[in-house]
Amino acid sequence: MTDLLPSWRDTATRTAILEFIAAVTEEGGPDFVAPDARVAVFDNDGTLWTEKPMPTQLAYLLQQWKAAAEADPSLAERQPYQAAVTGDLAWLGAAIDKHYAGDDADLGLLIAAVAATSGGTSVDEYAASVSDFYRDARHLTLGAPYAQVVYQPMVELIRLLEANGFTTYIVSGGERDFMRPMTEAYYGIPAERVVGTGMGLTYDADANVVRYVPKLDFFDDGPEKPVRIWMRVGRRPILAGGNSNGDIPMLRFAQGTARSLSLLIHHDDDTGRGDAPYDKGAEQALAEASVHDFTVVSVRDDWSQVFPNA
């Protein structure tokens, strides 16, 4: 058993994970789950990789918004273009924190700017642009390529689940097509198993391509997550992992089965190995963890290593 989850310390959390996997895969056991029903879903930002000082997609969008403001200086007078031009990361981070606290006053500005950025672009052009970003960009504060700021313990968990007959999905508030160019290389999860926020799409028959239209189709967060899981997967997951208030419905949705496991990643590590500790955006989830029987994963206490090649 020592070779399983090598970046997880030998704690009650690791034991709970291994006992859950053993129980649902023991043929003839009381909690056995057939392989086709072994579905595991994971949030992305803050669950599978770092999300501070802002979600990775915002770092990409900063580049796009800055370029747009340079082409049209009038844009620089309003948010979020103003933040991109001035480098005001605090405004962007605060907009995300306000969303998780239930205040979406600034989220509308972000979504409108996101829609404007991709509107009219083909899905292939967008995928190429995002792939270029992942190839060249580095994390804003850690300075490492984004491939090196995934959480090694979570990647190990995905591999262990798949070795035991699970099908794994990403279910994120992040935009679906921004994640797809990297999920297989970073997590081993193919594009067709990525569920996320979707921008509007239309088919351009003349060019024979699918293009984005400048509007939001759906925002995959909070109560939308269980809906999107059902629409895309057609099954209730038996394991879910998240880290924020917006993941509560998904974590609870996984608990509608006889045996389940809901993991809540708690960023409490003050050792300097990775992200600085934070609870903002997860206050409700942490407060309700015992009520809903979430298994809280302490980054400080449960992970012996945070990033790959540490």
Side-chain angles (χ1 to χ4, degrees):
M1 298 285 279
T2 56
D3 59 336
L4 302 178
L5 304 179
S7 296
W8 293 72
R9 292 195 170 109
D10 188 13
T11 63
T13 303
R14 179 177 180 274
T15 298
I17 292 170
L18 295 178
E19 287 181 348
F20 167 76
I21 294 173
V24 299
T25 57
E26 182 187 1
E27 198 159 355
D31 295 319
F32 176 74
V33 176
D36 59 359
R38 294 177 200 163
V39 172
V41 295
F42 295 94
D43 173 56
N44 187 40
D45 294 310
T47 299
L48 298 183
W49 71 354
T50 183
E51 68 175 345
K52 297 296 182 180
M54 67 180 71
T56 303
Q57 186 170 5
L58 280 183
Y60 166 79
L61 288 166
L62 278 173
Q63 298 177 359
Q64 309 301 310
W65 292 336
K66 187 175 182 180
E70 288 172 351
D72 180 1
S74 67
L75 291 175
E77 299 174 6
R78 64 176 191 263
Q79 297 288 17
Y81 302 95
Q82 186 179 75
V85 171
T86 62
D88 183 9
L89 305 186
W91 184 89
L92 293 165
I96 301 300
D97 289 339
K98 286 168 66 175
H99 161 67
Y100 285 128
D103 179 358
D104 285 343
D106 292 334
L107 188 69
L109 298 176
L110 287 173
I111 290 175
V114 172
T117 298
S118 59
T121 304
S122 76
V123 293
D124 304 297
E125 291 168 337
Y126 182 65
S129 174
V130 172
S131 295
D132 288 345
F133 170 81
Y134 285 126
R135 183 195 64 216
D136 300 329
R138 290 180 173 265
H139 188 273
L140 293 173
T141 56
L142 298 174
Y146 279 97
Q148 294 177 16
V149 295
V150 300
Y151 297 138
Q152 179 64 23
M154 297 304 289
V155 175
E156 291 171 2
L157 176 56
I158 290 171
R159 294 287 82 74
L160 181 61
L161 290 169
E162 292 176 343
N164 282 274
F166 280 76
T167 303
T168 55
Y169 292 82
I170 292 175
V171 181
S172 175
E175 198 235 324
R176 172 194 60 217
D177 292 341
F178 180 79
M179 294 184 286
R180 281 176 166 172
M182 65 82 181
T183 57
E184 187 149 23
Y186 290 12
Y187 312 130
I189 296 178
E192 62 269 20
R193 299 210 306 264
V194 176
V195 182
T197 293
M199 307 309 293
L201 295 168
T202 188
Y203 174 60
D204 180 343
D206 292 335
N208 193 25
V209 296
V210 173
R211 296 189 186 279
Y212 296 98
V213 296
K215 69 173 184 177
L216 177 71
D217 194 1
F218 54 86
F219 183 43
D220 187 41
D221 197 41
E224 190 71 20
K225 286 197 173 190
V227 173
R228 291 292 153 187
I229 291 169
W230 187 257
M231 290 180 69
R232 288 287 302 277
V233 183
R235 293 183 183 276
R236 186 189 290 262
I238 63 172
L239 183 148
N243 76 296
S244 71
N245 298 335
D247 294 318
I248 294 173
M250 179 174 73
L251 297 176
R252 294 191 63 196
F253 188 52
Q255 296 177 326
T257 56
R259 183 71 183 260
S260 64
L261 184 64
S262 294
L263 302 174
L264 178 65
I265 311 302
H266 183 201
H267 291 280
D268 59 351
D269 188 6
D270 56 3
T271 67
R273 298 179 303 163
D275 301 312
Y278 64 95
D279 289 349
K280 203 161 190 178
E283 301 94 335
Q284 182 184 355
L286 291 166
E288 296 180 4
S290 60
V291 175
H292 297 308
D293 198 27
F294 299 158
T295 297
V296 178
V297 178
S298 166
V299 173
R300 180 191 60 211
D301 299 334
D302 292 321
W303 292 356
S304 62
Q305 175 178 332
V306 177
F307 298 131
N309 305 316

